Amino acid sequence: MAGQAKKLIDAIIEQRAKGSKVLEGVVKTKLILKGIDPKNFTETTPDDPAVIGRLHELMAELR
Amino acid sequence: MKAQSAFSVKIDVNAAVADVRDQLSGCDPIVVLYFASPVYPPERIAAAMAAAFPAAQTFGCSTAGEIVTGRMLTHSVGAMAFGSEAITSAKVEVITDLDHPGYDAFASFERHFGVSMAEMDPSRYVGLILIDGLSRKEELVVDRIGDLTNVNFIGGSAGDDLRFAASHVFANGASHGGAAVLALLEPAVPFSFIKTQSFTPLPRTLTVTRANEPCREVLEFDHKPAAVAYAEALGVPLEEAGAHFLSNPLGILFEGEPFVRSPQRVDGGTMSFYCSVKEGMELSLLQSSDIIADTRRDLESAITEFGKPSVIINFNCILRTLELREKGLTEEYGRLFADVQTVGFSTYGEQFIGHLNQTATMLLLY
Protein backbone atom coordinates (compact mmCIF):
# COMPACT_ATOMS: atom_id res chain seq x y z
CA MET A 1 0.00 0.00 0.00
CA ALA A 2 1.12 3.53 -0.71
CA GLY A 3 -0.14 7.08 -0.56
CA GLN A 4 -2.27 6.79 2.55
CA ALA A 5 -0.19 9.33 4.49
CA LYS A 6 -0.64 11.95 1.77
CA LYS A 7 -4.40 11.38 1.79
CA LEU A 8 -4.51 11.80 5.57
CA ILE A 9 -2.29 14.89 5.50
CA ASP A 10 -4.48 16.48 2.81
CA ALA A 11 -7.58 15.64 4.83
CA ILE A 12 -6.11 17.16 8.01
CA ILE A 13 -5.12 20.34 6.19
CA GLU A 14 -8.55 20.63 4.56
CA GLN A 15 -10.36 19.92 7.82
CA ARG A 16 -8.33 22.44 9.82
CA ALA A 17 -7.81 25.20 7.30
CA LYS A 18 -11.39 25.28 6.03
CA GLY A 19 -10.24 26.96 2.85
CA SER A 20 -8.08 29.61 4.55
CA LYS A 21 -4.63 29.92 2.96
CA VAL A 22 -3.26 31.41 6.19
CA LEU A 23 -4.53 28.51 8.27
CA GLU A 24 -3.26 26.08 5.64
CA GLY A 25 0.25 27.43 6.20
CA VAL A 26 -0.16 27.20 9.98
CA VAL A 27 -1.36 23.58 9.80
CA LYS A 28 1.51 22.63 7.49
CA THR A 29 3.96 24.29 9.88
CA LYS A 30 2.50 22.40 12.82
CA LEU A 31 2.93 19.13 10.92
CA ILE A 32 6.51 19.98 9.96
CA LEU A 33 7.38 20.77 13.57
CA LYS A 34 5.95 17.38 14.52
CA GLY A 35 8.38 15.80 12.03
CA ILE A 36 5.80 15.22 9.28
CA ASP A 37 6.71 17.35 6.27
CA PRO A 38 3.80 17.29 3.81
CA LYS A 39 6.09 17.82 0.84
CA ASN A 40 7.81 14.51 1.56
CA PHE A 41 4.61 12.51 1.02
CA THR A 42 3.19 11.69 -2.42
CA GLU A 43 0.69 9.20 -3.87
CA THR A 44 3.55 6.71 -4.21
CA THR A 45 5.10 7.07 -0.75
CA PRO A 46 5.03 3.62 0.91
CA ASP A 47 2.76 3.56 3.94
CA ASP A 48 4.66 3.70 7.23
CA PRO A 49 2.44 2.34 10.03
CA ALA A 50 4.03 4.71 12.57
CA VAL A 51 3.30 7.80 10.48
CA ILE A 52 -0.18 6.58 9.56
CA GLY A 53 -0.90 5.96 13.24
CA ARG A 54 0.19 9.47 14.22
CA LEU A 55 -1.90 11.02 11.47
CA HIS A 56 -4.99 9.00 12.52
CA GLU A 57 -4.48 10.24 16.10
CA LEU A 58 -4.33 13.80 14.81
CA MET A 59 -7.47 13.34 12.75
CA ALA A 60 -9.30 12.03 15.81
CA GLU A 61 -8.04 14.88 17.96
CA LEU A 62 -9.37 17.47 15.58
CA ARG A 63 -12.94 16.19 15.52
CA MET B 1 -8.02 52.75 28.87
CA LYS B 2 -6.32 50.43 26.44
CA ALA B 3 -3.12 49.51 28.21
CA GLN B 4 -0.35 51.03 30.27
CA SER B 5 3.07 49.63 31.11
CA ALA B 6 5.06 50.18 34.29
CA PHE B 7 8.20 48.84 35.90
CA SER B 8 10.14 48.98 39.13
CA VAL B 9 13.72 48.23 40.05
CA LYS B 10 13.10 48.50 43.78
CA ILE B 11 14.74 45.58 45.52
CA ASP B 12 12.05 44.83 48.10
CA VAL B 13 9.16 42.92 46.61
CA ASN B 14 6.44 44.91 48.37
CA ALA B 15 8.09 48.19 47.46
CA ALA B 16 8.45 47.10 43.83
CA VAL B 17 4.81 46.07 43.56
CA ALA B 18 3.67 49.27 45.28
CA ASP B 19 5.80 51.24 42.82
CA VAL B 20 4.15 49.48 39.87
CA ARG B 21 0.69 49.91 41.38
CA ASP B 22 1.29 53.63 41.91
CA GLN B 23 2.40 54.10 38.29
CA LEU B 24 -0.80 52.36 37.18
CA SER B 25 -3.04 54.14 39.69
CA GLY B 26 -5.09 55.84 36.98
CA CYS B 27 -5.84 52.54 35.30
CA ASP B 28 -8.79 50.26 35.81
CA PRO B 29 -7.34 47.04 34.45
CA ILE B 30 -9.18 43.80 33.88
CA VAL B 31 -5.90 41.97 33.22
CA VAL B 32 -2.39 42.64 34.54
CA LEU B 33 0.45 40.76 32.87
CA TYR B 34 3.81 40.96 34.63
CA PHE B 35 7.32 39.60 34.31
CA ALA B 36 9.52 39.46 37.38
CA SER B 37 13.20 38.89 37.95
CA PRO B 38 13.98 35.89 40.15
CA VAL B 39 15.43 38.34 42.68
CA TYR B 40 11.83 38.53 43.89
CA PRO B 41 10.61 35.48 45.83
CA PRO B 42 8.04 33.92 43.47
CA GLU B 43 5.29 33.24 45.99
CA ARG B 44 5.56 36.75 47.40
CA ILE B 45 5.50 38.61 44.08
CA ALA B 46 2.56 36.54 42.83
CA ALA B 47 0.58 37.26 45.99
CA ALA B 48 1.56 40.92 46.08
CA MET B 49 0.61 41.56 42.45
CA ALA B 50 -2.78 39.91 42.92
CA ALA B 51 -3.37 41.95 46.09
CA ALA B 52 -2.33 45.16 44.33
CA PHE B 53 -4.85 44.64 41.53
CA PRO B 54 -7.80 42.90 43.19
CA ALA B 55 -10.23 43.64 40.36
CA ALA B 56 -7.93 42.22 37.68
CA GLN B 57 -6.78 38.78 36.65
CA THR B 58 -3.03 38.78 37.23
CA PHE B 59 -0.55 36.43 35.64
CA GLY B 60 3.09 36.31 34.55
CA CYS B 61 6.34 34.49 35.12
CA SER B 62 9.93 34.72 36.26
CA THR B 63 12.51 35.91 33.74
CA ALA B 64 16.09 36.15 32.56
CA GLY B 65 15.66 39.90 32.06
CA GLU B 66 12.68 42.16 31.57
CA ILE B 67 11.48 44.34 28.69
CA VAL B 68 9.23 47.38 29.11
CA THR B 69 8.44 50.35 26.90
CA GLY B 70 11.76 51.56 25.54
CA ARG B 71 13.95 49.54 27.89
CA MET B 72 15.65 46.22 28.50
CA LEU B 73 16.07 45.72 32.23
CA THR B 74 17.43 43.31 34.79
CA HIS B 75 16.45 42.72 38.41
CA SER B 76 13.12 44.43 37.92
CA VAL B 77 9.43 43.74 37.55
CA GLY B 78 7.69 44.93 34.39
CA ALA B 79 3.93 44.98 34.02
CA MET B 80 1.18 45.83 31.58
CA ALA B 81 -2.31 46.77 32.72
CA PHE B 82 -4.96 46.03 30.11
CA GLY B 83 -8.25 47.89 30.24
CA SER B 84 -11.55 46.99 28.65
CA GLU B 85 -10.70 49.03 25.56
CA ALA B 86 -7.92 46.51 24.85
CA ILE B 87 -9.40 43.25 26.09
CA THR B 88 -13.09 42.43 26.11
CA SER B 89 -12.75 39.24 28.08
CA ALA B 90 -10.01 36.99 29.44
CA LYS B 91 -9.68 33.68 31.23
CA VAL B 92 -6.50 32.48 32.91
CA GLU B 93 -5.83 28.81 33.68
CA VAL B 94 -2.88 26.87 35.08
CA ILE B 95 -1.70 23.50 33.76
CA THR B 96 0.08 21.70 36.57
CA ASP B 97 0.41 18.34 34.81
CA LEU B 98 2.56 19.14 31.81
CA ASP B 99 2.59 15.49 30.70
CA HIS B 100 -1.18 15.63 30.11
CA PRO B 101 -1.90 19.21 29.11
CA GLY B 102 -4.95 20.78 27.65
CA TYR B 103 -8.30 19.31 28.43
CA ASP B 104 -9.15 20.92 31.79
CA ALA B 105 -7.91 24.35 30.79
CA PHE B 106 -9.66 24.17 27.46
CA ALA B 107 -12.92 23.05 29.09
CA SER B 108 -12.69 26.12 31.31
CA PHE B 109 -12.10 28.37 28.29
CA GLU B 110 -15.06 26.82 26.51
CA ARG B 111 -17.33 27.45 29.51
CA HIS B 112 -16.11 31.02 29.83
CA PHE B 113 -16.40 32.00 26.18
CA GLY B 114 -19.31 29.73 25.26
CA VAL B 115 -17.67 28.23 22.20
CA SER B 116 -15.64 25.06 21.68
CA MET B 117 -11.90 25.49 21.23
CA ALA B 118 -12.12 23.53 17.97
CA GLU B 119 -14.61 26.05 16.60
CA MET B 120 -13.08 29.18 18.12
CA ASP B 121 -12.30 31.88 15.55
CA PRO B 122 -8.52 32.56 15.50
CA SER B 123 -9.13 36.08 14.23
CA ARG B 124 -11.24 36.88 17.32
CA TYR B 125 -9.36 35.11 20.11
CA VAL B 126 -5.69 34.80 21.00
CA GLY B 127 -3.89 32.80 23.64
CA LEU B 128 -0.84 33.55 25.74
CA ILE B 129 1.32 30.76 27.11
CA LEU B 130 3.93 31.05 29.85
CA ILE B 131 5.63 27.81 30.80
CA ASP B 132 8.32 26.62 33.18
CA GLY B 133 11.48 27.07 31.12
CA LEU B 134 13.28 24.21 32.81
CA SER B 135 10.48 21.68 32.31
CA ARG B 136 11.50 20.53 28.81
CA LYS B 137 7.79 20.05 28.19
CA GLU B 138 7.21 22.97 25.86
CA GLU B 139 6.84 20.90 22.68
CA LEU B 140 4.40 18.54 24.36
CA VAL B 141 2.21 21.38 25.60
CA VAL B 142 2.39 23.55 22.48
CA ASP B 143 1.78 20.59 20.14
CA ARG B 144 -1.20 19.55 22.23
CA ILE B 145 -2.68 23.04 22.14
CA GLY B 146 -2.11 23.20 18.41
CA ASP B 147 -3.87 19.87 17.94
CA LEU B 148 -6.96 21.04 19.78
CA THR B 149 -7.53 24.50 18.34
CA ASN B 150 -6.75 26.92 15.53
CA VAL B 151 -6.44 29.77 18.03
CA ASN B 152 -2.83 30.96 18.12
CA PHE B 153 -1.06 30.71 21.43
CA ILE B 154 2.05 32.85 21.67
CA GLY B 155 4.43 33.12 24.60
CA GLY B 156 7.67 32.27 26.27
CA SER B 157 9.40 29.92 28.66
CA ALA B 158 9.99 31.35 32.13
CA GLY B 159 13.59 31.99 33.14
CA ASP B 160 15.68 32.42 36.25
CA ASP B 161 18.53 34.76 35.27
CA LEU B 162 20.60 31.87 33.88
CA ARG B 163 20.81 30.10 37.23
CA PHE B 164 19.00 27.09 35.70
CA ALA B 165 17.68 26.15 39.15
CA ALA B 166 13.97 26.97 39.14
CA SER B 167 11.62 29.03 37.02
CA HIS B 168 8.06 29.93 37.92
CA VAL B 169 4.77 30.92 36.38
CA PHE B 170 2.26 33.05 38.23
CA ALA B 171 -1.52 33.16 38.10
CA ASN B 172 -4.02 35.03 40.23
CA GLY B 173 -1.90 35.21 43.37
CA ALA B 174 -0.11 31.86 43.23
CA SER B 175 3.31 30.79 41.96
CA HIS B 176 3.78 27.42 40.26
CA GLY B 177 6.84 25.38 39.27
CA GLY B 178 6.69 22.66 36.61
CA ALA B 179 3.57 24.30 35.25
CA ALA B 180 2.19 26.48 32.47
CA VAL B 181 -0.19 29.41 32.53
CA LEU B 182 -2.56 29.75 29.61
CA ALA B 183 -4.53 32.94 29.13
CA LEU B 184 -7.20 33.06 26.49
CA LEU B 185 -8.01 36.62 25.46
CA GLU B 186 -10.78 38.16 23.42
CA PRO B 187 -9.13 41.42 22.40
CA ALA B 188 -11.32 44.44 21.80
CA VAL B 189 -8.97 45.55 19.02
CA PRO B 190 -7.33 43.91 16.00
CA PHE B 191 -4.15 41.99 16.67
CA SER B 192 -1.25 40.43 14.80
CA PHE B 193 1.96 38.54 15.45
CA ILE B 194 5.65 38.93 14.78
CA LYS B 195 8.04 36.01 14.72
CA THR B 196 11.50 37.38 14.11
CA GLN B 197 14.87 35.70 14.07
CA SER B 198 18.13 37.01 12.74
CA PHE B 199 19.38 34.21 10.56
CA THR B 200 19.89 33.50 6.90
CA PRO B 201 19.73 29.90 5.65
CA LEU B 202 22.98 28.58 4.22
CA PRO B 203 22.92 26.13 1.30
CA ARG B 204 23.72 23.14 3.50
CA THR B 205 21.25 20.78 5.17
CA LEU B 206 21.59 18.06 7.77
CA THR B 207 19.01 15.28 8.12
CA VAL B 208 18.41 13.78 11.56
CA THR B 209 18.98 10.06 11.19
CA ARG B 210 19.11 9.15 14.89
CA ALA B 211 17.71 11.10 17.83
CA ASN B 212 16.75 10.77 21.46
CA GLU B 213 13.73 13.00 21.09
CA PRO B 214 12.53 13.27 24.73
CA CYS B 215 16.05 14.38 25.75
CA ARG B 216 16.35 16.80 22.80
CA GLU B 217 19.48 14.99 21.65
CA VAL B 218 20.60 14.29 18.09
CA LEU B 219 22.93 11.32 17.91
CA GLU B 220 23.41 11.30 14.14
CA PHE B 221 23.03 13.62 11.18
CA ASP B 222 23.26 11.92 7.77
CA HIS B 223 24.34 8.67 9.52
CA LYS B 224 27.40 10.34 11.05
CA PRO B 225 27.93 11.38 14.67
CA ALA B 226 25.93 14.60 14.92
CA ALA B 227 28.77 16.84 16.04
CA VAL B 228 31.06 15.50 13.31
CA ALA B 229 28.46 16.16 10.61
CA TYR B 230 27.75 19.63 12.00
CA ALA B 231 31.46 20.52 12.05
CA GLU B 232 31.92 19.18 8.52
CA ALA B 233 28.94 21.21 7.30
CA LEU B 234 30.51 24.33 8.75
CA GLY B 235 33.98 23.40 7.55
CA VAL B 236 35.53 23.73 10.98
CA PRO B 237 37.45 21.29 13.23
CA LEU B 238 35.23 19.25 15.54
CA GLU B 239 36.70 20.89 18.64
CA GLU B 240 35.61 24.31 17.36
CA ALA B 241 32.01 23.30 16.64
CA GLY B 242 30.66 24.52 19.97
CA ALA B 243 31.99 28.01 19.37
CA HIS B 244 29.63 28.29 16.38
CA PHE B 245 26.39 27.34 18.11
CA LEU B 246 25.14 30.90 18.64
CA SER B 247 25.97 32.18 15.17
CA ASN B 248 25.23 28.95 13.29
CA PRO B 249 22.23 27.17 14.77
CA LEU B 250 20.03 24.91 12.66
CA GLY B 251 16.52 25.54 11.44
CA ILE B 252 13.52 23.88 9.91
CA LEU B 253 12.62 25.86 6.82
CA PHE B 254 9.03 26.39 5.72
CA GLU B 255 8.59 28.62 2.69
CA GLY B 256 12.01 30.14 3.41
CA GLU B 257 11.15 30.97 7.03
CA PRO B 258 13.44 29.34 9.63
CA PHE B 259 12.10 27.75 12.80
CA VAL B 260 15.33 27.81 14.79
CA ARG B 261 16.67 24.83 16.74
CA SER B 262 19.66 25.95 18.82
CA PRO B 263 22.41 23.54 19.79
CA GLN B 264 23.23 23.60 23.50
CA ARG B 265 26.28 21.37 23.90
CA VAL B 266 28.31 18.49 22.48
CA ASP B 267 28.72 15.30 24.45
CA GLY B 268 30.96 12.90 22.49
CA GLY B 269 29.38 12.92 19.05
CA THR B 270 25.92 13.76 20.38
CA MET B 271 24.48 17.26 20.12
CA SER B 272 21.93 18.48 22.66
CA PHE B 273 19.46 21.16 21.63
CA TYR B 274 17.29 23.71 23.43
CA CYS B 275 14.23 22.24 21.74
CA SER B 276 13.13 18.95 20.30
CA VAL B 277 14.56 17.71 17.03
CA LYS B 278 12.88 14.69 15.49
CA GLU B 279 14.22 11.84 13.36
CA GLY B 280 13.72 12.50 9.67
CA MET B 281 13.78 16.28 10.05
CA GLU B 282 15.81 18.13 7.45
CA LEU B 283 17.56 21.05 9.10
CA SER B 284 19.26 23.93 7.35
CA LEU B 285 22.44 25.44 8.62
CA LEU B 286 21.84 29.08 9.51
CA GLN B 287 24.08 32.14 9.58
CA SER B 288 23.41 34.92 12.08
CA SER B 289 22.57 38.43 10.96
CA ASP B 290 21.81 41.76 12.66
CA ILE B 291 19.21 41.48 15.48
CA ILE B 292 18.55 45.23 15.65
CA ALA B 293 18.16 45.68 11.90
CA ASP B 294 16.06 42.54 11.45
CA THR B 295 13.74 43.33 14.37
CA ARG B 296 13.31 46.91 13.15
CA ARG B 297 12.51 45.61 9.66
CA ASP B 298 9.88 43.20 10.97
CA LEU B 299 8.30 45.86 13.20
CA GLU B 300 8.15 48.27 10.27
CA SER B 301 6.68 45.58 8.07
CA ALA B 302 3.91 44.94 10.62
CA ILE B 303 3.23 48.68 10.89
CA THR B 304 3.04 48.97 7.12
CA GLU B 305 0.59 46.08 6.93
CA PHE B 306 -1.59 46.69 9.97
CA GLY B 307 -0.82 50.20 11.28
CA LYS B 308 0.93 51.31 14.44
CA PRO B 309 0.25 49.00 17.39
CA SER B 310 -0.80 50.36 20.77
CA VAL B 311 0.62 47.37 22.67
CA ILE B 312 3.44 44.89 22.14
CA ILE B 313 4.08 41.81 24.26
CA ASN B 314 7.60 40.66 23.44
CA PHE B 315 8.98 37.20 24.20
CA ASN B 316 12.65 37.58 23.39
CA CYS B 317 15.06 34.65 23.55
CA ILE B 318 17.75 34.91 26.22
CA LEU B 319 20.32 33.93 23.57
CA ARG B 320 19.35 37.05 21.61
CA THR B 321 19.56 39.06 24.82
CA LEU B 322 23.02 37.67 25.59
CA GLU B 323 24.21 38.66 22.13
CA LEU B 324 22.74 42.14 22.58
CA ARG B 325 24.42 42.45 26.00
CA GLU B 326 27.75 41.26 24.61
CA LYS B 327 27.58 43.82 21.80
CA GLY B 328 26.32 46.63 24.05
CA LEU B 329 23.05 46.85 22.11
CA THR B 330 20.40 46.36 24.80
CA GLU B 331 19.56 50.07 24.95
CA GLU B 332 19.20 50.20 21.17
CA TYR B 333 16.97 47.13 21.20
CA GLY B 334 14.84 48.69 23.94
CA ARG B 335 14.49 51.88 21.91
CA LEU B 336 12.86 49.89 19.09
CA PHE B 337 9.88 49.71 21.43
CA ALA B 338 10.00 53.25 22.80
CA ASP B 339 6.86 54.47 21.01
CA VAL B 340 4.58 51.58 21.91
CA GLN B 341 3.37 50.38 25.30
CA THR B 342 5.51 47.27 25.65
CA VAL B 343 6.06 44.49 28.13
CA GLY B 344 8.08 41.33 27.74
CA PHE B 345 10.97 39.30 28.99
CA SER B 346 14.07 37.35 28.06
CA THR B 347 12.90 33.78 27.70
CA TYR B 348 14.27 30.27 27.88
CA GLY B 349 12.30 29.45 24.73
CA GLU B 350 9.63 31.03 22.59
CA GLN B 351 6.28 29.72 21.49
CA PHE B 352 4.38 30.46 18.30
CA ILE B 353 2.84 27.57 16.35
CA GLY B 354 5.63 25.51 17.90
CA HIS B 355 8.45 25.76 20.41
CA LEU B 356 11.33 27.87 19.08
CA ASN B 357 14.83 29.08 19.93
CA GLN B 358 16.79 32.28 19.24
CA THR B 359 13.59 34.00 18.19
CA ALA B 360 11.40 36.85 19.40
CA THR B 361 7.68 36.19 19.25
CA MET B 362 5.43 39.19 19.74
CA LEU B 363 1.73 39.85 20.09
CA LEU B 364 0.71 43.25 18.76
CA LEU B 365 -2.59 44.89 19.70
CA TYR B 366 -3.77 47.83 17.60
Side-chain angles (χ1 to χ4, degrees):
Chain A
M1 289 285 289
Q4 198 181 348
K6 177 172 170 47
K7 282 182 186 165
L8 286 167
I9 289 168
D10 289 346
I12 287 169
I13 292 170
E14 184 181 344
Q15 183 182 347
R16 289 301 291 264
K18 297 168 184 161
S20 163
K21 284 290 175 195
V22 173
L23 283 179
E24 191 177 305
V26 171
V27 177
K28 283 181 181 173
T29 306
K30 285 178 182 177
L31 289 169
I32 290 168
L33 294 178
K34 288 174 185 291
I36 301 169
D37 190 340
K39 76 173 170 17
N40 292 341
F41 294 90
T42 69
E43 287 83 356
T44 57
T45 303
D47 292 342
D48 177 341
V51 173
I52 301 294
R54 287 177 69 192
L55 290 169
H56 274 302
E57 283 173 18
L58 266 178
M59 288 284 287
E61 199 74 270
L62 303 178
R63 289 203 177 95
Chain B
M1 183 207 66
K2 267 191 183 172
Q4 177 69 47
S5 67
F7 73 94
S8 180
V9 293
K10 291 183 184 293
I11 296 167
D12 175 74
V13 62
N14 289 325
V17 172
D19 190 11
V20 166
R21 183 195 59 210
D22 290 348
Q23 293 172 56
L24 299 173
S25 60
C27 304
D28 185 20
I30 62 170
V31 169
V32 176
L33 172 63
Y34 63 100
F35 301 116
S37 162
V39 297
Y40 303 111
E43 294 82 7
R44 290 184 62 201
I45 190 124
M49 285 296 288
F53 300 98
Q57 296 186 72
T58 57
F59 67 103
C61 68
S62 60
T63 73
E66 302 75 46
I67 299 169
V68 292
T69 311
R71 297 166 188 265
M72 290 191 94
L73 298 166
T74 56
H75 301 164
S76 75
V77 55
M80 182 77 79
F82 294 92
S84 57
E85 288 180 27
I87 294 175
T88 302
S89 186
K91 182 68 177 166
V92 177
E93 287 293 335
V94 179
I95 298 174
T96 54
D97 181 359
L98 295 182
D99 287 315
H100 302 91
Y103 289 122
D104 290 346
F106 275 29
S108 169
F109 294 147
E110 289 174 348
R111 284 193 300 274
H112 181 83
F113 290 101
V115 57
S116 79
M117 292 300 293
E119 296 299 322
M120 212 169 261
D121 179 355
S123 69
R124 180 173 170 184
Y125 300 94
V126 63
L128 294 177
I129 176 171
L130 305 171
I131 182 167
D132 184 331
L134 302 176
S135 67
R136 292 187 169 206
K137 302 290 184 186
E138 289 100 330
E139 294 90 349
L140 183 64
V141 175
V142 175
D143 278 7
R144 185 86 185 127
I145 291 169
D147 291 348
L148 295 173
T149 185
N150 278 339
V151 171
N152 287 297
F153 277 73
I154 188 167
S157 304
D160 68 346
D161 272 351
L162 300 172
R163 299 172 192 167
F164 301 110
S167 63
H168 299 84
V169 295
F170 314 127
N172 294 324
S175 169
H176 306 268
V181 170
L182 301 185
L184 188 58
L185 312 178
E186 183 182 9
V189 294
F191 58 90
S192 72
F193 308 96
I194 288 177
K195 167 185 161 297
T196 182
Q197 60 287 312
S198 292
F199 294 102
T200 305
L202 296 170
R204 180 71 174 90
T205 59
L206 296 167
T207 300
V208 182
T209 47
R210 200 166 150 231
N212 180 356
E213 294 177 9
C215 293
R216 297 174 170 173
E217 291 174 351
V218 176
L219 285 70
E220 292 180 1
F221 286 120
D222 301 328
H223 303 288
K224 293 179 181 177
V228 171
Y230 174 80
E232 284 180 3
L234 276 174
V236 301
L238 177 59
E239 57 273 19
E240 291 179 17
H244 289 263
F245 284 172
L246 277 180
S247 55
N248 296 108
L250 299 165
I252 302 165
L253 289 191
F254 177 62
E255 296 180 347
E257 175 88 3
F259 290 76
V260 182
R261 327 322 266 165
S262 299
Q264 183 182 22
R265 66 176 185 276
V266 170
D267 185 8
T270 297
M271 289 175 67
S272 298
F273 285 76
Y274 285 110
C275 63
S276 177
V277 180
K278 297 179 187 300
E279 282 185 9
M281 276 183 170
E282 185 182 272
L283 303 176
S284 291
L285 200 59
L286 304 176
Q287 178 63 53
S288 63
S289 51
D290 185 329
I291 290 176
I292 300 288
D294 294 341
T295 306
R296 180 183 291 116
R297 178 201 62 212
D298 289 341
L299 281 167
E300 288 173 351
S301 174
I303 290 168
T304 300
E305 186 170 0
F306 300 106
K308 187 178 177 185
S310 56
V311 174
I312 294 178
I313 305 172
N314 183 354
F315 305 99
N316 187 63
C317 180
I318 181 60
L319 296 177
R320 285 165 56 92
T321 300
L322 290 175
E323 182 179 334
L324 291 167
R325 287 176 185 166
E326 187 182 307
K327 294 179 176 175
L329 293 171
T330 55
E331 287 186 17
E332 193 171 345
Y333 186 80
R335 281 198 295 274
L336 294 175
F337 306 94
D339 296 334
V340 182
Q341 293 297 308
T342 300
V343 73
F345 73 102
S346 294
T347 64
Y348 281 1
E350 305 75 58
Q351 287 85 46
F352 182 60
I353 303 177
H355 178 53
L356 312 169
N357 301 141
Q358 282 181 276
T359 298
T361 59
M362 304 182 208
L363 174 63
L364 289 71
L365 301 180
Y366 293 89

